[in-house]
Amino acid sequence: MRWLILFIGVLVSGVLCAQSTDLFDRNERSHLGHGWSWKLGGHLLDAAPSSSPSQWLTSNPNGNLDTLHVGTWSHAGAGSVLVGIGHWWTVKEPILWDRWSIELGGVRHAANSEFIGRVAGNSPGAPMVADTLMDRGESVFTLQTALQVHRAIEIMPDFFLDAHIGIGWNREFGLETSRVGADSLFLPLPDPSDWRLAFEGGLGLGVRTQSGRFLRLLVNTDLVQLEPTALQGGGAWDWMEGSYRPWQFSISWDLLKKRPAASCVGAPDGQPGRDLFGPKMRKKMRWSRGN
């Protein structure tokens, strides 16, 4: 929620502050109003929280409570390389946003949760014994897509703060989970979702390296998890025993497509070719040459 408030503040500041109309060549003098983006960076699943207590109590035939396990889970998400490509368009008369984009990317998700504590013995009334349990989940490949709107606020010529917000969707391929340990003494868990839909946003710093060429350093995360939702809420989602929030740190190269050079050869675009002289003028020209 704090990220959402910060983004709204950036948008309002952008409306109040004077913005250069030439930063993204909105009049399309030398470039068209769209181009490609190439992104490279890192992706991290951040455990939220990093540890959590766990206990399972059941009633025995005598009506007394038995403890099947008691201890603490520790959670850790893994990082991976992020590679992405996108297409973006400029808005000629921006109000809240000055660009919008569609992006396609790839990462790899993996996370571990480990239980350390005590579990019930092999027979009724037996003392509890120290034990561990390990949960692991990972995908072979995670496909990411996003539809975003952007706002740039110039801080000096060619340098600008950049904010974006939008909808992101993930699809896990080759998702596998495993549990090693006394799993019968723990509550069964549903399989993790192999897709996710989230309201996401990010901030960054951009620079125009030359006409129609931009470089942005970006930080991106989920603001609100739409599906599946996590017990912790917010932008995290549940995976096995843990809840995780995704973070992305990337460099984006944004390239506006250059306008083709004007040509004086041939008929104008969208217009049929026309003769310079009509039939009457050509007849007069032949008569004058004959004399």
Side-chain angles (χ1 to χ4, degrees), residues 75-268:
H75 313 288
S80 74
V81 174
L82 163 68
V83 178
I85 182 175
H87 204 85
W88 60 290
W89 292 260
T90 60
V91 179
K92 289 188 176 182
E93 297 181 359
I95 299 178
L96 291 180
W97 55 81
D98 53 25
R99 291 158 292 150
W100 66 280
S101 67
I102 298 175
E103 185 177 294
L104 185 69
V107 298
R108 185 174 181 270
H109 284 162
N112 295 310
S113 294
E114 182 181 15
F115 172 85
I116 300 177
R118 303 180 70 82
V119 300
N122 295 328
S123 60
M128 300 187 72
V129 297
D131 204 346
T132 61
L133 186 71
M134 178 69 74
D135 279 347
R136 177 168 180 81
E138 62 179 350
S139 61
V140 175
F141 178 75
T142 304
L143 178 67
Q144 296 184 335
T145 59
L147 174 63
Q148 299 172 340
V149 293
H150 307 255
R151 182 73 195 197
I153 300 177
E154 287 188 82
I155 53 180
M156 63 178 66
D158 293 332
F159 287 85
F160 56 94
L161 295 175
D162 191 76
H164 66 266
I165 200 168
I167 296 292
W169 178 84
N170 280 6
R171 178 68 164 84
E172 308 285 354
F173 292 92
L175 178 62
E176 294 184 356
T177 60
S178 63
R179 170 168 278 190
V180 180
D183 60 338
S184 62
L185 301 177
F186 290 78
L187 289 168
L189 292 175
D191 292 333
S193 174
D194 59 1
W195 66 279
R196 138 242 184 241
L197 182 68
F199 190 52
E200 59 185 28
L203 294 171
L205 178 65
V207 58
R208 177 171 58 180
T209 58
Q210 54 180 298
S211 179
R213 303 293 183 265
F214 305 88
L215 179 67
R216 291 181 297 149
L217 303 177
L218 300 170
V219 179
N220 184 80
T221 189
D222 287 357
L223 303 177
V224 179
Q225 203 72 32
L226 302 177
E227 187 70 30
T229 57
L231 293 176
Q232 301 299 327
W237 79 86
D238 293 335
W239 194 334
M240 306 295 284
E241 285 286 348
S243 296
Y244 300 89
R245 174 189 290 274
W247 289 92
Q248 295 183 355
F249 308 88
S250 61
I251 300 176
S252 180
W253 290 271
D254 307 326
L255 314 175
L256 278 177
K257 188 174 182 180
K258 290 186 177 181
R259 177 175 289 281
S263 175
C264 297
V265 179

